[in-house]
Amino acid sequence: MSTLGRYELLRPLARGGMAEVYLARRRVAGVEKRLVIKRLRKDRSRDPRFLELFMREAQLSMSLVQQNIVPVFDFGRIGDDVFLAMEHIDGKDLGSSLAKDRGSGMSPLLAAFVAVECCQALDHAHRRPENVIHRDVTTRNVLISWDGEVKLADFGIAAVVGDASGALGTPGYMAPEQARAEPTDARVDIYALGIVLWESVIGEHVRPSTDRAATIAAAKSGELPPIDPELIPEGLATIIRHATANDPGERYSSARNMAEALDNFLLSERARDPGPAPAQRLAEWLKQRWADARDELSAPMPAAAGAVVSFLDDGVDKIGGSRTMRSIAETAADEGELDTPPPHQIIEDAPADRDSRPIPVVTMQT
């Protein structure tokens, strides 16, 4: 087991072209805190371009404090190690949950609930003074806790308005202007969320993900299949069409406006089906989806491990109970994706003409 300052790195969870992700812990006053460490690869940490991108992610992420956004609460440098620490979510990501049973999604009511929670996260980011754009809203970046909470993760390629060009993101969710590397604004996130909403109901990709060239071409042209009226009611289909319009001017002008439309749909669905609260239904859906892991979920932690907590910072602890903690990165490892980036994801290097001067980095005391 290796250490990184005050953190113990328990095991690797994922590795990409820019960074490595680890399950980690920190012991404080006899209590074990589990978290996720994202560390810039050593071969990248010496490159000012990648260092700048990583620092930007840390700075933007730490400025976003909202209940539907996975919090990043620590950032630093120890020798050649540049890293950030984020909350470890006790749950699963939406993408892998849908993949458990391809072609079988969630109810329109649940899909709308997940989308409206994501709208809250995006509205917070978009309304920041910097006008933060996520640029990679996908089902993999939507996390659902076992209690039915929804959080949006990974602002790793986020940008601010005025500096949001370049074909960065996942083609299956890209708006046409984003795929064509044209200047973009917050409406690319609206478009991507429309695709997430659509996929949540049908349980499969809207655009093909096995043929990379076809996916990119479809993203650039804005080509989308027709919405199946047998799966998606007209009220929700109207929201999806509005969100995924090829012309940005025809989309919802803000995440808040999209949330209002989704809220109206939820009200009508709840009037028709006044059962348990959406969050409770979502929690049950997730547990049923991962029924093969139920024994693991209910197993107590080893006595030596102590209580497991998730936390935002050193002063705010939230008891997570005795269940095994899970995260989006662990999900990727479970599915054999360790060291394998998503086949339909393209993340370009920083522009060659970017200022390459070294950037000061906060150094942590060990």
Side-chain angles (χ1 to χ4, degrees):
M1 182 186 304
S2 60
T3 61
L4 183 60
R6 56 189 175 181
Y7 304 112
E8 296 178 44
L9 305 183
L10 301 178
R11 65 182 177 91
L13 300 176
R15 186 174 189 269
M18 181 174 173
E20 302 161 334
V21 181
Y22 296 86
L23 176 65
R25 70 183 176 191
R26 185 186 178 202
R27 296 181 187 275
V28 178
V31 176
E32 177 182 304
K33 298 180 178 182
R34 291 208 172 188
L35 60 146
V36 172
I37 294 289
K38 184 174 183 179
R39 182 172 68 181
L40 188 63
R41 287 173 47 178
K42 289 185 183 296
D43 58 325
R44 300 300 195 188
S45 65
R46 301 180 184 91
D47 187 328
R49 298 176 305 161
F50 286 98
L51 187 57
E52 180 181 358
L53 286 173
F54 197 76
M55 283 191 63
R56 175 184 292 187
E57 174 184 0
Q59 291 165 350
L60 288 178
S61 297
M62 292 180 74
S63 73
L64 300 173
V65 181
Q66 197 271 345
Q67 65 180 3
N68 298 113
I69 296 177
V70 176
V72 173
F73 51 83
D74 197 5
F75 171 62
R77 181 174 188 171
I78 302 175
D80 290 334
D81 289 319
V82 183
F83 68 94
L84 56 83
M86 65 191 78
E87 183 181 16
H88 187 204
I89 303 302
D90 188 7
K92 291 285 187 180
D93 71 276
L94 176 60
S96 64
S97 299
L98 292 171
K100 291 287 287 184
D101 187 7
R102 286 291 185 194
S104 173
M106 56 177 56
S107 70
L109 185 151
L110 286 185
F113 173 71
V114 170
V116 80
E117 294 293 287
C118 291
C119 280
Q120 303 300 331
L122 291 175
D123 181 64
H124 175 78
H126 296 167
R127 289 178 179 272
R128 293 284 302 168
E130 305 90 346
N131 300 120
V132 178
I133 309 171
H134 190 289
R135 295 201 294 180
D136 199 28
V137 178
T138 71
T139 56
R140 287 284 182 173
N141 285 334
V142 176
L143 308 188
I144 305 173
S145 78
W146 299 115
D147 295 324
E149 294 179 321
V150 179
K151 291 182 183 285
L152 186 61
D154 199 356
F155 280 76
I157 60 169
V160 296
V161 172
D163 188 28
S165 61
L168 296 167
T170 305
Y173 301 84
M174 279 185 177
E177 68 272 20
Q178 184 180 6
R180 295 193 293 259
E182 298 171 356
T184 59
D185 59 24
R187 289 171 293 185
V188 299
D189 288 344
I190 300 297
Y191 186 99
L193 185 56
I195 299 293
V196 168
L197 174 60
W198 192 344
E199 292 184 349
S200 297
V201 180
I202 65 175
E204 57 188 6
H205 291 299
V206 170
R207 289 177 177 149
S209 61
T210 54
D211 187 335
R212 178 186 175 89
T215 305
I216 295 174
K220 289 181 177 180
S221 68
E223 178 184 352
L224 292 171
I227 296 175
D228 187 345
E230 294 186 3
L231 294 177
I232 301 179
E234 182 56 32
L236 197 61
T238 298
I239 295 173
I240 292 172
R241 292 191 195 99
H242 198 171
T244 59
N246 280 345
D247 182 353
E250 296 180 1
R251 297 175 205 152
Y252 292 103
S253 60
S254 69
R256 180 169 295 184
N257 287 344
M258 184 174 178
E260 291 174 354
L262 288 164
D263 277 334
N264 289 333
F265 175 79
L266 282 170
L267 285 173
S268 64
E269 287 293 292
R270 291 281 286 156
R272 185 183 61 81
D273 181 13
Q280 183 178 343
R281 299 188 197 194
L282 182 61
E284 186 59 32
W285 177 86
L286 189 69
K287 292 170 185 175
Q288 290 177 354
R289 207 72 172 187
W290 294 92
D292 56 349
R294 290 294 288 274
D295 290 341
E296 178 186 353
L297 298 180
S298 59
M301 292 293 293
V308 177
V309 299
S310 62
F311 61 110
L312 304 184
D313 56 42
D314 288 341
V316 182
D317 293 346
K318 179 180 179 182
I319 300 300
S322 60
R323 294 178 300 182
T324 302
M325 302 289 275
R326 307 289 291 172
S327 72
I328 180 174
E330 287 183 277
T331 296
D334 290 343
E335 298 180 353
E337 296 179 1
L338 193 63
D339 296 328
T340 305
H344 57 299
Q345 189 166 9
I346 52 172
I347 304 294
E348 296 182 350
D349 287 353
D353 59 352
R354 186 180 292 276
D355 188 349
S356 60
R357 292 173 296 174
I359 300 172
V361 180
V362 176
T363 302
M364 289 183 55
Q365 299 296 322
T366 59

